[in-house]
Amino acid sequence: MKGEHAVSGDSLACSGHQESPERKRHDLGYLPFLVRRDGVWLYRGTPIKRKAMLCMFGSMLTRDEKGAYLLRSPFETGYIEVEDVPFLAVELDWTGCGKMQRLCFRTNMDEVVVAGPEHPIRTDWNMPPEACPESCPPYIRLREGDNRHFPLEARLSRPVWYELAALAEPGMCQGIPCMGVWSCGCFFPLAKQTSGTDCDA
């Protein structure tokens, strides 16, 4: 495909590409990549469809001290545009229940993480529905960027979000009754509790 050939033949250094040992990393400015909100990666406007190539680029991604996204190979670095977050959580598996529950997520790049202290679930749960017309989807932290304040996250796809919501139970967060989920001993709020009996998490 046009986009794939363009990427593989362009300037980003890939494994297997022979480089002089004296060559040093240099900045490329902005690279012609766009990651759409739906998780599709574009190179010069053309979708990249090869899974292995996507996983390789995803593994090179980080964020700088201002939160901008960078593709960083052993030799080159360049900024890319990301509409929301660069990854989607496309599969959920869980074991146990209550505080002993473990929520395991797989991303569209086949990265697997278990929600917990190092991989928290984040959502704007304490907001009125009208303040977030498309609802407020949850995100899960995958790994740190160059700055710990700007991690790399995956947004939960709608089917995974529905699965997660089905596991929600009453709890409290910041003194506010809410619905949330447990994973590895951590309680993650998902939405304000509008009915039912309050229950301390």
Side-chain angles (χ1 to χ4, degrees):
M1 294 188 61
K2 178 181 176 183
E4 294 164 11
H5 290 307
V7 174
S8 60
D10 218 274
S11 56
L12 265 180
C14 303
S15 58
H17 181 68
Q18 298 299 315
E19 295 286 350
S20 166
E22 291 81 18
R23 183 178 178 187
K24 296 181 180 179
R25 181 193 303 276
H26 64 276
D27 291 335
L28 297 178
Y30 281 87
L31 296 169
F33 286 85
L34 168 65
V35 184
R36 296 192 320 213
R37 181 178 171 82
D38 61 4
V40 174
W41 285 53
L42 306 178
Y43 181 80
R44 298 191 186 279
T46 301
I48 304 171
K49 295 186 177 181
R50 286 180 56 191
K51 185 67 171 288
M53 188 172 289
L54 287 169
C55 291
M56 179 187 69
F57 288 143
S59 69
M60 293 178 179
L61 201 60
T62 186
R63 300 180 74 181
D64 69 8
E65 67 280 357
K66 295 182 180 180
Y69 289 92
L70 290 163
L71 271 181
R72 177 176 292 157
S73 80
F75 302 101
E76 300 167 326
T77 298
Y79 289 96
I80 71 168
E81 183 180 353
V82 178
E83 287 185 345
D84 182 24
V85 294
F87 306 111
L88 293 177
V90 296
E91 186 177 313
L92 169 63
D93 189 20
W94 70 93
T95 58
C97 61
K99 295 184 179 181
M100 302 303 294
Q101 184 170 251
R102 295 177 78 254
L103 303 174
C104 183
F105 296 87
R106 181 179 64 83
T107 75
N108 56 332
M109 303 295 180
D110 291 334
E111 188 170 353
V112 176
V113 295
V114 176
E118 295 183 0
H119 303 286
I121 297 171
R122 173 182 69 84
T123 189
D124 294 326
W125 64 274
N126 193 13
M127 292 179 64
E130 60 272 15
C132 198
E134 296 182 4
S135 298
C136 300
Y139 298 78
I140 184 164
R141 178 179 298 186
L142 301 181
R143 59 184 185 268
E144 298 291 346
D146 290 352
N147 186 306
R148 65 183 181 86
H149 297 295
F150 296 106
L152 288 139
E153 295 181 308
R155 188 179 73 255
L156 272 60
S157 64
R158 192 163 292 275
V160 171
W161 186 3
Y162 289 159
E163 285 186 81
L164 190 70
L167 298 173
E169 58 185 77
M172 296 282 287
C173 184
Q174 301 171 357
I176 301 172
C178 61
M179 298 296 293
V181 291
W182 287 94
S183 185
C184 296
C186 297
F187 183 76
F188 300 106
L190 299 178
K192 278 187 174 180
Q193 187 175 330
T194 56
S195 62
T197 304
D198 295 351
C199 174
D200 288 338

